Amino acid sequence: MSDESKLDDLLTQLGTGRWNVVYFFGAAFWYMLLPPQCFSVVYLAPNLNNTCLPALEHNISYIAEDSCSYFRITSEGSLQEEPCTEFLYDDSIFSSTLTSEFGLVCGRAYQRAAYQSVYSLSSIIGSLVSGYAADRYGRKIVVVVSQVMYAATCISISFISNFNVILAFRFLLGALGTPTFYMLGMEVCETKNRSAVGILMALPWAFGMMMWGGAGYLIRDWRWLQLAVSLPIILMLPVLFLIDESPRWLIVTGRHDKALKVLRRASRLNKTTLPPEDVLKSIFDDIQLENEKPVTKTESMHSLAMGSGQERCTMSCPRLLRSHKMRVVTIALSVNLFISSLVYCGLSLSGAIYSSDPFLYMVLSGLMETPGYSLTAPLIKKFGRKNPSIIGFTICGVVILCLTVIPSDISWLVMTFAMLGKLAISGAFMILFVFEAELLPTEVRLQGLAVTIVSANIAAALSPYVADYLGPLVPWLPSVIFGLSSFVAALVLVPLPETLGLLPDMIHDLEKLWRKKEKKTDAGDDSLTDKLTA
């Protein structure tokens, strides 16, 4: 029996009870609090109508149409263009914003998008650093340190009076918003509940989106709004004292006494019975010995995505490109994660384009994500991963492109199609995570996930420039970009094989999976399950 099976057997004996619920609740609550920080640009730094206020001592001829400059009459009687340095802002929706306080218009308009993209770019660094730290020092210490620092950073932004410092804090915030708590929750979950728990822990993200829309409607001053959505993070801190270190990580890193203590506490809280201490220690030794075997080209690494323990990375990243099929998978998944992130984040930030009410747009946006996440589990269980993903991207492309021909004055129809697009991309995005974890062979899964996550974060950093910067200039352009990109994502998935009920461990297993796809009508072909387990 493999070390993964032994670990899963222990978790099965522990069952699911009060010990697990603390992790699930903590991770779910954490994900509910993230959207206001991830998409804070919508209400903190929106695009505002503004009017140029020329210097009083100048003889003004007229103000430029874009209200970014004015023409004054010189002493010689000629006209000279001067840039506007003071503006009068439309405060009918927001009483105070970063845009109005720091003059993020005209020549500084790009800084609104920078405020959003800096968060996504720093997430790349945060994911890499937190992943290494969690494997090196433990999951719990990373969760505790990141949560405490995240809370302090969020609250501090409310009191900063320098925009460059705010950008620096946003960069730190993105680096601290790691998925470690989510992975910790998955690692303490027994196998039979892992898929359902994985979705349920992520589902509060949609509730957080709706909460962000309601908070923005109630509080129109950016400092008070930032403070209001940041203070609830403090409620997370007591949970940090109730969680234990991941027993998986403790076992595979040789901390057997601590692992035994954690498992005893879990057994007591869940009211279950574990094997005797000597049997447990024997299991721990077997798991550690298996984990410490030298990694060769024919051995697999444990997968973080599948909830395994300590991952061993040989840094042999060329394996992702060595095989033709592996190259196709890596490129296809990278393109799809890039497009999914671009379209999802772009639609989330496009309230000003598709709606006259940015608060209702955000609430409905979160509401559409709820079925997009929850309905995917039974859907992919019956129909597989590939075809539902293709259908989701195709529907998203169709409805978003329709927005380019719908008259903007039919606001309810524009909103309806925008929400249908958000529903489709949310469902496709969720399915893609499952498809990716199953399509990447175990021996390169960690490396593959790292590559695709980087591509997704790059797209998230680009999305505000499409939605907030290009949108006001060319209103139909974001819809064209999002719609056509969705079609590309659907087409890229066509060559890939279905993975329903299958999980390749080695790259050559992926080759077999592909041959099964190409020869599925051959009656003499053996079952793929037999091939993968042979």
Side-chain angles (χ1 to χ4, degrees):
M1 183 183 293
S2 70
D3 55 334
E4 279 190 76
S5 299
K6 291 176 181 178
L7 283 166
D8 288 333
D9 285 345
L10 281 177
L11 290 176
T12 299
Q13 291 183 59
L14 281 175
T16 301
R18 288 187 293 173
W19 180 70
N20 311 81
V21 168
V22 174
Y23 295 88
F24 303 157
F25 171 80
F29 189 65
W30 167 242
Y31 268 83
M32 186 176 69
L33 299 177
L34 284 180
Q37 308 301 332
C38 293
F39 300 114
S40 64
V41 68
V42 175
Y43 302 139
L44 268 60
N47 181 30
L48 297 178
N49 293 325
N50 60 89
T51 302
C52 176
L53 295 178
L56 295 177
E57 65 271 15
H58 290 165
N59 294 319
I60 307 303
S61 175
Y62 63 91
I63 297 174
E65 185 177 351
D66 61 2
S67 197
C68 291
S69 62
Y70 62 94
F71 293 84
R72 69 181 181 88
I73 303 175
T74 65
S75 57
E76 292 81 13
S78 61
L79 291 178
Q80 181 172 328
E81 186 176 7
E82 299 284 349
C84 289
T85 57
E86 298 291 335
F87 300 89
L88 179 65
Y89 297 95
D90 178 10
D91 60 359
S92 60
I93 298 178
F94 303 99
S95 61
S96 174
T97 63
L98 289 167
T99 306
S100 58
E101 184 169 332
F102 298 104
L104 307 183
V105 295
C106 297
R108 298 188 65 191
Y110 72 93
Q111 292 186 332
R112 296 198 311 272
Y115 171 85
Q116 177 66 26
S117 65
V118 71
Y119 184 99
S120 300
L121 287 175
S122 63
S123 297
I124 300 174
I125 301 174
S127 297
L128 296 175
V129 173
S130 65
Y132 169 80
D135 285 346
R136 185 81 164 80
Y137 304 106
R139 279 69 163 134
K140 181 178 179 179
I141 185 64
V142 173
V143 169
V144 171
V145 171
S146 61
Q147 296 279 335
V148 172
M149 292 184 64
Y150 198 92
T153 305
C154 288
I155 294 172
S156 298
I157 289 177
S158 307
F159 304 98
I160 299 174
S161 56
N162 183 290
F163 186 71
N164 290 329
V165 177
I166 290 176
L167 287 181
F169 271 62
R170 282 283 292 175
F171 185 89
L172 178 60
L173 206 60
L176 292 170
T178 70
T180 310
F181 207 159
Y182 179 85
M183 290 302 176
L184 179 57
M186 293 295 285
E187 286 190 355
V188 301
C189 181
E190 58 179 314
T191 306
K192 69 177 183 179
N193 296 328
R194 198 169 292 159
S195 298
V197 168
I199 292 176
L200 290 175
M201 285 195 298
L203 188 59
W205 175 278
F207 302 153
M209 293 284 285
M210 291 184 278
M211 180 188 73
W212 180 223
Y217 176 79
L218 295 173
I219 306 173
R220 306 298 178 92
D221 183 285
W222 82 265
R223 292 187 184 276
W224 285 108
L225 179 58
Q226 174 66 21
L227 185 62
V229 297
S230 300
L231 287 177
I233 301 177
I234 297 177
L235 299 176
M236 284 290 303
L237 303 185
V239 178
L240 304 181
F241 295 98
L242 300 177
I243 63 173
D244 297 304
E245 181 55 85
S246 167
R248 286 179 175 270
W249 182 82
L250 292 171
I251 293 170
V252 298
T253 55
R255 296 163 173 82
H256 294 174
D257 290 338
K258 291 183 178 179
L260 188 60
K261 183 178 179 181
V262 170
L263 290 175
R264 282 174 175 169
R265 180 172 182 269
S267 177
R268 186 172 63 254
L269 290 174
N270 287 358
K271 298 180 179 180
T272 55
T273 303
L274 288 175
E277 182 175 324
D278 58 333
V279 176
L280 284 175
K281 288 188 174 181
S282 176
I283 295 175
F284 295 169
D285 291 335
D286 291 341
I287 292 173
Q288 188 179 2
L289 286 174
E290 179 71 21
N291 189 72
E292 290 175 350
K293 285 182 179 180
V295 181
T296 67
K297 290 183 179 180
T298 59
E299 289 179 317
S300 63
M301 298 188 308
H302 294 299
S303 168
L304 175 64
M306 300 310 296
S308 66
Q310 178 77 1
E311 287 76 27
R312 301 187 300 276
C313 184
T314 62
M315 299 305 292
S316 54
C317 294
R319 283 186 295 174
L320 287 173
L321 304 175
R322 190 173 299 163
S323 159
H324 170 67
K325 303 302 185 185
M326 199 65 249
R327 288 194 295 270
V328 172
V329 168
T330 303
I331 294 172
L333 291 177
S334 297
V335 170
N336 268 271
L337 263 294
F338 181 92
I339 292 174
S340 298
S341 182
L342 178 70
V343 176
Y344 172 83
C345 294
L347 290 178
S348 298
L349 298 172
S350 296
I353 302 175
Y354 301 129
S355 173
S356 59
D357 188 337
F359 311 109
L360 178 62
Y361 182 89
M362 186 63 69
V363 172
L364 292 179
S365 180
L367 186 63
M368 289 297 101
E369 291 185 39
T370 304
Y373 296 150
S374 59
L375 296 181
T376 53
L379 187 67
I380 64 178
K381 184 177 181 180
K382 182 175 182 180
F383 299 104
R385 284 69 163 133
K386 176 181 171 180
N387 289 334
S389 296
I390 293 175
I391 293 172
F393 283 121
T394 303
I395 293 175
C396 181
V398 170
V399 298
I400 296 303
L401 284 179
C402 285
L403 289 169
T404 61
V405 297
I406 297 176
S408 58
D409 57 341
I410 311 179
S411 57
W412 67 269
L413 190 58
V414 173
M415 175 79 86
T416 299
F417 273 73
M419 290 301 102
L420 288 175
K422 190 63 182 296
L423 172 62
I425 193 62
S426 298
F429 209 168
M430 191 71 189
I431 297 171
L432 189 59
F433 279 121
V434 179
F435 195 24
E436 176 184 32
E438 293 179 344
L439 195 57
L440 289 169
T442 304
E443 65 171 321
V444 292
R445 188 172 295 129
L446 190 62
Q447 298 170 23
L449 287 173
V451 171
T452 57
I453 286 174
V454 169
S455 68
N457 282 326
I458 291 174
L462 293 175
S463 62
Y465 291 96
V466 176
D468 188 60
Y469 196 64
L470 294 179
L473 299 176
V474 187
W476 53 264
L477 187 57
S479 298
V480 171
I481 293 175
F482 298 150
L484 294 180
S485 297
S486 298
F487 284 124
V488 172
L491 289 174
V492 169
L493 287 176
V494 172
L496 301 182
E498 178 56 67
T499 62
L500 177 61
L502 304 169
L503 187 66
D505 286 321
M506 312 298 293
I507 291 178
H508 66 78
D509 289 333
L510 179 64
E511 301 282 347
K512 295 178 183 178
L513 181 61
W514 217 292
R515 287 198 298 271
K516 177 66 176 179
K517 169 183 175 290
E518 294 170 350
K519 300 178 181 180
K520 60 183 178 179
T521 57
D522 187 355
D525 193 27
D526 297 328
S527 70
L528 180 61
T529 302
D530 292 337
K531 289 184 177 182
L532 294 179
T533 56

